[in-house]
Amino acid sequence: MTDDAPATGPKIMLVAGEASGDQLGGRLMAAIKRQEPEARFIGVGGPRMESEGLKSLFPMNEMSVMGLTEVVPHIPHLLKRISQTAEFAKTQRPDAVVTIDAPDFSFRVGKKLKGKGIPLIHYVAPSVWAWREGRAKKIAGFLDHLLALLPFEPPYFEKEGLPTTFIGHSAVEERHDGNAERFRAKHDLDADKRLLAVLPGSRNSEVKRLLPIFREVIDAIAAKYPDTRIVVPTVSKVAQTVTDEMQDWPLSPIVVTTDQERHDAFAAANCALAASGTVSLELAIAGVPHVIAYQVNAITGWIAKRLIKIDTVTIVNLVLGRKLIPEFLQDKCRAKAILPALEDLLNATPAYEEQKAGFDEACQMLGFGDRAPSEKAAEQILAIIAKK
């Protein structure tokens, strides 16, 4: 139900600041409507949330600014939008405000609403286990409830007095209807032909930094395993960059951009070489053994090394508490180092089977096969409203 419908159900204000939050918000809205059909929604969101009935207070993409140099010129406008969002909540008096990820924006809104009698819920716990653990105490000072995606996160916040619910990782809700036979038939690939997925990232900056390194790896693979093909599932905003960079690559790269092609490619692939990020969890859920390689600029890397407390960046490794998926980061992100680990997977050595078994364990821990995370989140939010 939209915000202009008869006021019969709970009024819930949702605030998302970037595309990933919009996806979470859209699923959450759908789940809330299944559990409480008369629910009404107001707030800030993107196309996915708007498709579920939200009329965004202003265009969400105004919040999607990445990097220091990009953010600085927009600070006055961002601060204006933060104040506007908080004032809107005070005026509308929703039954709950749910901020979704984007902590720099969300938490500033939350602080302005502290003590106003509106339950404040945040969806996606900040990674205090990786750096700046002190943030847990700070957000416990204004939030009423936190919804966490990872099973080991609640204790960090509960010890500060913030009720926290582990709901499962959103990636386990993605469609997993890939069809290997369809993909291989479409691209004329025999069932026994090795297929290597290459995923160099979703931002132009990381694609341009990683592709030269990945090219060296593929050159070596082509020399040793010339009958291999590679598929490159990517996103539309970097598809042209990827296609241009790969024009003279060996092994005839197959570049795909749609969600269905991506799922089919994962189903068909024997293994993968991927940039760090959520894609690693997507590959794990699809059962594709893989190697992670990533590199940022030297200054960012130097700062991160001194701030980050963990020795792995991959969610599956974090959840399992062991380095199941090989990682080659910063100065270790070199073709000579990556190649042996990737060959192990191409040749289905014990490391290949070990990853397969580990994926099942990790995915179960992250909520795969259980109730959908969005359903659990909706249930918790509605319960908080009911208690109010």
Side-chain angles (χ1 to χ4, degrees):
M1 185 174 293
T2 56
D3 57 315
D4 56 356
T8 56
K11 183 194 288 187
I12 302 171
M13 181 168 171
L14 303 170
V15 180
E18 54 197 8
S20 59
D22 182 46
Q23 291 294 320
L24 288 175
R27 290 196 203 104
L28 177 60
M29 289 173 69
I32 289 174
K33 287 189 287 187
R34 284 190 290 270
Q35 296 179 33
E36 177 48 82
E38 298 301 312
R40 296 165 291 144
F41 302 99
I42 59 174
V44 181
R48 180 71 176 80
M49 293 166 71
E50 289 173 341
S51 73
E52 293 292 343
L54 181 77
K55 292 182 179 178
S56 187
L57 181 60
F58 51 81
M60 186 197 72
N61 58 17
E62 292 184 15
M63 303 299 102
S64 303
V65 184
M66 299 292 293
L68 182 62
T69 57
E70 291 87 355
V71 168
V72 171
H74 296 278
I75 286 176
H77 187 67
L78 291 172
L79 293 175
K80 177 183 175 182
R81 289 305 197 195
I82 289 166
S83 295
Q84 180 185 2
T85 304
E87 288 304 315
F88 183 69
K90 293 173 189 176
T91 302
Q92 291 291 317
R93 302 299 303 175
D95 293 292
V97 170
V98 183
T99 51
I100 306 171
D101 209 2
D104 289 338
F105 185 81
S106 295
F107 293 164
R108 284 174 171 82
V109 171
K111 288 175 184 177
K112 289 180 179 290
L113 295 177
K114 178 185 176 182
K116 302 302 179 184
I118 306 170
L120 302 176
I121 304 161
H122 187 68
Y123 190 178
V124 183
S127 305
V128 299
W129 38 267
W131 69 301
R132 289 175 58 197
E133 189 173 338
R135 287 177 293 167
K137 184 174 183 178
K138 290 180 180 178
I139 68 171
F142 61 88
L143 286 180
D144 295 298
H145 205 97
L146 182 63
L147 302 174
L149 273 56
L150 302 176
F152 54 79
E153 290 179 319
Y156 287 92
F157 303 94
E158 290 171 338
K159 73 178 183 180
E160 303 297 346
L162 176 58
T164 304
T165 303
F166 165 60
I167 58 169
H169 199 285
S170 55
V172 304
E173 278 188 75
E174 295 287 348
R175 290 185 308 149
H176 304 293
D177 56 352
N179 188 311
E181 291 75 20
R182 176 169 58 203
F183 185 87
R184 287 181 176 270
K186 179 178 179 179
H187 297 286
D188 196 25
L189 303 173
D190 294 337
D192 59 351
K193 181 179 281 291
R194 283 192 184 96
L195 182 64
L196 169 64
V198 175
L199 300 110
S202 58
R203 299 189 185 101
N204 273 303
S205 57
E206 60 189 5
V207 165
K208 289 178 179 178
R209 184 173 288 114
L210 291 175
L211 276 181
I213 300 168
F214 285 13
R215 167 65 189 266
E216 289 185 51
V217 176
I218 299 306
D219 282 343
I221 294 292
K224 297 184 74 171
Y225 312 98
D227 196 39
T228 303
R229 286 293 301 276
I230 60 174
V231 58
V232 190
T234 189
V235 293
S236 56
K237 66 180 179 181
V238 298
Q240 193 58 55
T241 300
V242 169
T243 302
D244 291 345
E245 292 285 333
M246 289 187 159
Q247 279 185 350
D248 62 343
W249 278 38
L251 304 181
S252 304
I254 304 165
V255 179
V256 299
T257 58
T258 70
D259 286 345
Q260 189 59 66
E261 287 177 312
R262 183 185 186 87
H263 298 147
D264 288 353
F266 283 2
N270 297 93
C271 59
L273 168 62
S276 176
T278 307
V279 67
S280 175
L281 184 52
E282 292 179 50
L283 289 166
I285 291 169
V288 185
H290 56 283
V291 169
I292 293 297
Y294 202 71
Q295 194 176 76
V296 295
N297 69 61
I299 294 174
T300 302
W302 184 85
I303 294 171
K305 189 174 181 179
R306 281 149 184 78
L307 290 177
I308 294 176
K309 302 179 295 182
I310 53 176
D311 62 355
T312 178
V313 298
T314 305
I315 291 175
V316 169
N317 290 349
L318 284 166
V319 170
L320 292 175
R322 64 181 189 271
K323 289 190 177 180
L324 177 72
I325 300 169
E327 296 174 334
F328 300 90
L329 311 176
Q330 289 307 96
D331 57 339
K332 295 179 181 177
C333 184
R334 295 177 292 107
K336 286 184 179 179
I338 297 166
L339 184 61
L342 194 57
E343 282 189 278
D344 279 347
L345 302 183
L346 274 172
N347 292 316
T349 66
Y352 177 94
E353 296 301 333
E354 184 183 352
Q355 280 203 31
K356 285 272 198 180
F359 293 160
D360 291 340
E361 182 184 352
C363 289
Q364 187 173 16
M365 293 171 71
L366 288 164
F368 194 74
D370 194 1
R371 290 179 62 215
S374 61
E375 295 289 342
K376 293 180 182 179
E379 181 177 70
Q380 188 63 56
I381 290 165
L382 291 171
I384 291 169
I385 291 172
K387 287 180 183 178
K388 177 192 172 189

